[in-house]
Amino acid sequence: MHIGVIGATGTIGSRVVTEALGRGHHVTAFSRDAGRIEEGRENIVWKSVDVLDADSITAVLPGLDVLISGFQPGNAAKDIADTVARSIADPTVHSVAARALLKALESHPRTRLIVIGGAGSLEIEPGLALADSDARMHEVLDALGLPREYAAAARGARDALNVLRTSNRLWTYFSPAEDIAPGERTGRFRIGGDQPVVDAEGRSRISAEDAAVALVDEAELPRFVQRRFTIGY
């Protein structure tokens, strides 16, 4: 397959690139300024794209079977504090990106889109998202060492999911576990839908490496077209 990855230098995006290449796929890796990237691996090319501009996305879609978007403001892998600050300052940016992606796909309706979103839209009880409960949201953010103001960004990511839900394009939304960080690639995890997947201790957690496994699995064998899914241990 030919897989495009937006946010290919990010914590999850970079691991999606590695996972896809390891399975023999061709990858087009996108970043804001691809000219600065040094790359020695085979079957990968780097291109610049502006995920907030539908025309910019449209220009890079030809030839892609699947486009995986790991867009976040800033570069969380290099400066998480900057990304957190940008996300708090403009929570609408996720919806803007979702609309641009969907607009671009109008001219390429067979290209599948997988958006890497957040855990804040997962339901803690039927019809109630984590992002809608200040008490629960603050509890999660405190545990992750993030400022409580980041709840606005979580609600912004949830709004992007709602934008996708109004579309008839071939979209999939991936909500990672609440606690996601670089770790081990085990290939062993459980898959869920709209509710968090928690372990025996009640924790919602996954490594970025296993998130990449799940994302490339979904690219290869679609199970959640026009749906959201999540994973956890």
Side-chain angles (χ1 to χ4, degrees):
M1 297 176 65
H2 192 164
I3 300 174
V5 182
I6 293 174
T9 62
T11 300
I12 302 178
S14 62
R15 287 161 174 80
V16 170
V17 170
T18 298
E19 181 72 23
L21 291 174
R23 300 194 197 187
H25 299 299
H26 292 267
V27 174
T28 299
F30 298 108
S31 71
R32 294 176 184 85
D33 186 5
R36 299 184 180 184
I37 305 295
E38 295 183 4
E39 178 61 72
R41 293 172 292 184
E42 296 181 353
N43 296 328
I44 179 172
V45 295
W46 285 83
K47 294 183 179 180
S48 299
V49 74
D50 180 357
V51 73
L52 304 181
D53 183 343
D55 290 339
S56 178
I57 302 167
T58 300
V60 299
L61 284 178
L64 295 183
D65 297 303
V66 183
L67 176 61
I68 300 175
S69 175
F71 164 74
Q72 287 193 79
N75 188 328
K78 293 183 178 179
D79 191 344
I80 182 63
D82 177 61
T83 290
V84 169
R86 288 171 181 257
S87 299
I88 294 170
D90 185 9
T92 68
V93 70
H94 298 286
S95 291
V96 173
R99 292 189 183 96
L101 289 161
L102 293 173
K103 180 67 175 177
L105 289 173
E106 289 179 2
S107 59
H108 295 81
R110 293 187 179 181
T111 302
R112 292 181 50 235
L113 170 67
I114 302 176
V115 173
I116 303 170
S121 59
L122 291 169
E123 295 180 349
I124 53 176
E125 59 183 69
L128 180 66
L130 171 62
D132 293 324
S133 169
D134 285 344
R136 182 72 177 94
M137 194 75 225
H138 291 166
E139 179 184 326
V140 171
L141 293 174
D142 290 348
L144 296 175
L146 291 169
R148 290 186 172 185
E149 292 80 6
Y150 193 75
R155 288 189 286 270
R158 175 209 57 198
D159 293 343
L161 170 57
N162 290 334
V163 169
L164 293 173
R165 282 173 166 162
T166 67
S167 170
N168 61 359
R169 299 274 77 87
L170 302 178
W171 62 268
T172 297
Y173 188 93
F174 172 69
S175 285
E178 294 171 6
D179 185 355
I180 179 168
E184 182 183 0
R185 182 195 185 282
T186 70
R188 299 187 299 275
F189 47 79
R190 291 175 295 142
I191 298 175
D194 290 323
Q195 292 79 36
V197 175
V198 298
D199 62 17
E201 299 174 353
R203 295 173 58 198
S204 168
R205 61 187 184 90
I206 198 70
S207 71
E209 285 76 6
D210 278 338
V213 172
L215 286 159
V216 179
D217 283 350
E218 177 64 20
E220 291 178 340
L221 185 62
R223 297 175 58 189
F224 297 96
V225 176
Q226 296 185 347
R227 295 170 59 197
R228 179 255 296 282
F229 78 103
T230 186
I231 61 172
Y233 292 127

